[in-house]
Amino acid sequence: MKHKIKTFALASCIGLGMTLGSMAAAQTVKVATDPSFVPFEMLDQETGEMTGFDMDIIRELAERAGFEYDLNTMDFNGIIPAVQTGTVDIAIAGITITDERAQVVDFSDPYYDSGLQILVGADQDAVETVDDLAGMKIGTKIGSTSFDYLTENLGDSATITPYPGSSDMYMALLGGSVDAVFYDAPNVAYFAKTRGEGRVKVVGPLYEGQQYGIAFVKGSELVAPVNQALAAMHEDGTYDEIHAKWFGSSTE
């Protein structure tokens, strides 16, 4: 779907380092997201529109930075390669900033603090830490930092199954195909409070303090204006309003 976003007034554009020439030549940019990472991005079944925390963030950033965008959905595993090859210009999908990813894409300033957590069945009392998952079947997501963490810390001592979508791994847990899920904390918590309420629970500490960033094609001229817009959102309270809408009061 295409988002027609109005551009800033001339004074604002000049403040972001843009010239009349670049404004005239500006094109609609392609933005990629993962439709299954609730509540950051998800499909509204009634309207057919993408909604969520990230969707509100990119909409506000686009308006402030003065660009229009086409939203493209794809599996998370393909998002960084799509940015790297220039198939899309920007990606926002709860993407953890890592040194490895930063070698192939540029990142915005961090916009969300996160980490990894364990989800088990409501009657599971034997799991309190990642070490307790040894010998078990664990579901996680393809291409995620949680998959990397499990591989590095459990190795061959557990059966690690990467799923293409977060809904797949949660259904596997509810159906008994896996004993636990290990994934990004906000997504795990959201599922536990919604579709999994009464059937699953979050256990253990937060692992690997992480920060999410917006990914750009290497050398993108959009990084600076987006960072300025993001800073302005923090300063005027807009970020906190969006955060409260999806997660409750901001902890920042």
Side-chain angles (χ1 to χ4, degrees), residues 9-94:
L10 175 59
S12 297
C13 289
I14 292 175
L16 291 176
M18 298 179 68
T19 66
L20 283 173
S22 64
M23 288 172 59
Q27 297 180 349
T28 299
V29 301
K30 293 183 178 180
V31 176
T33 193
D34 172 6
S36 67
F37 189 52
V38 297
F40 287 80
E41 39 265 335
M42 50 193 169
L43 182 67
D44 187 316
Q45 297 296 333
E46 294 184 1
T47 66
E49 297 286 321
M50 289 296 296
T51 185
F53 177 75
D54 277 350
M55 299 298 94
D56 286 352
I57 291 291
I58 193 63
R59 186 179 301 111
E60 184 70 22
L61 289 174
E63 182 171 353
R64 290 173 184 247
F67 63 87
E68 299 175 354
Y69 64 97
D70 282 325
L71 192 62
N72 301 262
T73 59
M74 61 183 68
D75 289 341
F76 185 82
N77 198 41
I79 285 180
I80 294 297
V83 179
Q84 181 182 0
T85 59
T87 303
V88 298
D89 305 290
I90 302 173
I92 181 168

Side-chain angles (χ1 to χ4, degrees), residues 44-185:
D44 187 316
Q45 297 296 333
E46 294 184 1
T47 66
E49 297 286 321
M50 289 296 296
T51 185
F53 177 75
D54 277 350
M55 299 298 94
D56 286 352
I57 291 291
I58 193 63
R59 186 179 301 111
E60 184 70 22
L61 289 174
E63 182 171 353
R64 290 173 184 247
F67 63 87
E68 299 175 354
Y69 64 97
D70 282 325
L71 192 62
N72 301 262
T73 59
M74 61 183 68
D75 289 341
F76 185 82
N77 198 41
I79 285 180
I80 294 297
V83 179
Q84 181 182 0
T85 59
T87 303
V88 298
D89 305 290
I90 302 173
I92 181 168
I95 304 170
T96 300
I97 300 172
T98 67
D99 292 338
E100 181 180 4
R101 289 171 177 168
Q103 292 177 9
V104 295
V105 300
D106 285 340
F107 278 108
S108 69
D109 293 333
Y111 72 96
Y112 190 91
D113 293 331
S114 183
L116 307 173
Q117 277 196 302
I118 303 167
L119 187 73
V120 295
D123 58 352
Q124 171 61 268
D125 297 322
V127 176
E128 295 182 357
T129 69
V130 165
D131 292 340
D132 295 329
L133 296 175
M136 295 187 178
K137 294 176 288 186
I138 313 163
T140 189
K141 195 167 184 178
I142 293 173
S144 66
T145 53
S146 51
F147 175 76
D148 295 337
Y149 185 91
L150 289 172
T151 302
E152 293 171 6
N153 288 273
L154 289 179
D156 298 328
S157 65
T159 302
I160 304 166
T161 303
Y163 290 89
S166 55
S167 60
D168 299 322
M169 63 188 182
Y170 292 138
M171 291 305 101
L173 176 61
L174 293 178
S177 298
V178 297
D179 303 303
V181 162
F182 187 67
Y183 193 46
D184 291 43

Side-chain angles (χ1 to χ4, degrees), residues 182-223:
F182 187 67
Y183 193 46
D184 291 43
N187 188 256
V188 165
Y190 186 82
F191 179 80
K193 293 178 181 178
T194 53
R195 295 181 64 188
E197 186 175 12
R199 297 188 288 175
V200 298
K201 62 184 178 182
V202 180
V203 297
L206 191 68
Y207 292 91
E208 290 242 311
Q210 301 175 340
Q211 292 182 308
Y212 294 162
I214 301 165
F216 299 82
V217 173
K218 273 289 187 183
S220 173
E221 295 180 354
L222 290 169
V223 177

